[in-house]
Amino acid sequence: MTKEMTERETEKILEVCLLAGRIMMEGGAETYRVEDTMTRIAASYGITETHSFVTPTGIIVSLQGDNPTRLVRINSRTTDLEKVAQVNQISRKIAAGELSVQGAHQSLIKLEESHLLFPISYQILAAAFVSGSFLIMFKGVWTDFLPAMIAGGMGYSGLLLIQHYTRVKFFAEFFASLIIGLVSLAMVTFGFGMELDKIIIGSVMPLVPGLLITNAVRDLMVGHFVSGLSKGAEALFTAFAIGAGVAVVFL
């Protein structure tokens, strides 16, 4: 094999590592899992020395030899654990020798372009049921189950709508919690609901950044302090936006 071909293949391996890492980060994976997956992919193709630096906004990877260091920007982050699981599955196939570099690259491109999230109607319906379920878990009365479902569903609908047009996560979360507070207050005022606090608490639970908090703690535990602190700060601002939106209703 010529040196030119070796460099070309190494460049392709680097692209596969970066693409896999980007899909995982955009899907809500932990930092250490992203680094471990990229290292395993490179090792499966014969590159044993890999250096990577992953943050919530970018991934830097450098392979052994004279190959340049590459950087890929993370522009958006959401919760799409199905894509994270699919990347892990592709990584296992690579480790087992079932996928060539070109095949792995094509599989990752196909996965990136696929839309694995549930339809918006399903997401809103799930948020409504989760809101009612959390109300019962927080010892609310069953007569408030439907009001919590309505408030939670409307709030999550507002979150998706505002986030689609503004692309500002905290702005969308603030107005979503504001909608929840207004709807809950209106239903209690007109006698449709009984315990305002329980309705609001149950309804805002779909907005709570549980995965983000979990990933922040796990990253801090394994020593990824930059990622852990940044994710923790993002979770803190999200909690502030949710609290501020509800607080405005009571002013």
Side-chain angles (χ1 to χ4, degrees), residues 104-183:
H105 190 256
Q106 291 298 325
S107 297
L108 289 170
I109 290 178
K110 184 179 179 180
L111 175 61
E112 183 184 28
E113 294 174 350
S114 62
H115 187 72
L116 301 180
L117 290 175
F118 287 102
I120 292 178
S121 58
Y122 285 17
Q123 296 181 40
I124 295 173
L125 185 63
F129 273 104
V130 166
S131 300
S133 300
F134 269 111
L135 176 131
I136 300 302
M137 192 182 76
F138 291 132
K139 302 186 182 304
V141 294
W142 278 100
T143 53
D144 286 338
F145 185 84
L146 185 58
M149 285 185 60
I150 295 173
M154 293 182 66
Y156 197 79
S157 300
L159 173 73
L160 296 177
L161 181 64
I162 297 171
Q163 196 167 6
H164 175 73
Y165 286 105
T166 63
R167 302 293 181 182
V168 180
K169 184 172 181 287
F170 304 117
F171 186 76
E173 288 161 347
F174 171 80
F175 276 96
S177 61
L178 178 62
I179 292 171
I180 289 173
L182 291 173
V183 172

Side-chain angles (χ1 to χ4, degrees), residues 47-110:
I47 301 178
T48 57
E49 185 178 349
T50 306
H51 301 283
S52 61
F53 182 72
V54 179
T55 70
T57 56
I59 300 175
I60 301 174
V61 178
S62 177
L63 304 182
Q64 67 182 15
D66 299 327
N67 300 283
T69 300
R70 291 278 300 277
L71 165 69
V72 63
R73 178 79 175 175
I74 307 298
N75 294 316
S76 62
R77 295 184 305 278
T78 184
T79 301
D80 193 349
L81 299 183
E82 178 65 22
K83 282 192 175 182
V84 176
Q86 291 291 335
V87 173
N88 286 333
Q89 186 64 29
I90 293 173
S91 176
R92 294 187 188 100
K93 290 182 178 180
I94 294 173
E98 299 176 7
L99 280 177
S100 64
V101 179
Q102 185 65 32
H105 190 256
Q106 291 298 325
S107 297
L108 289 170
I109 290 178
K110 184 179 179 180

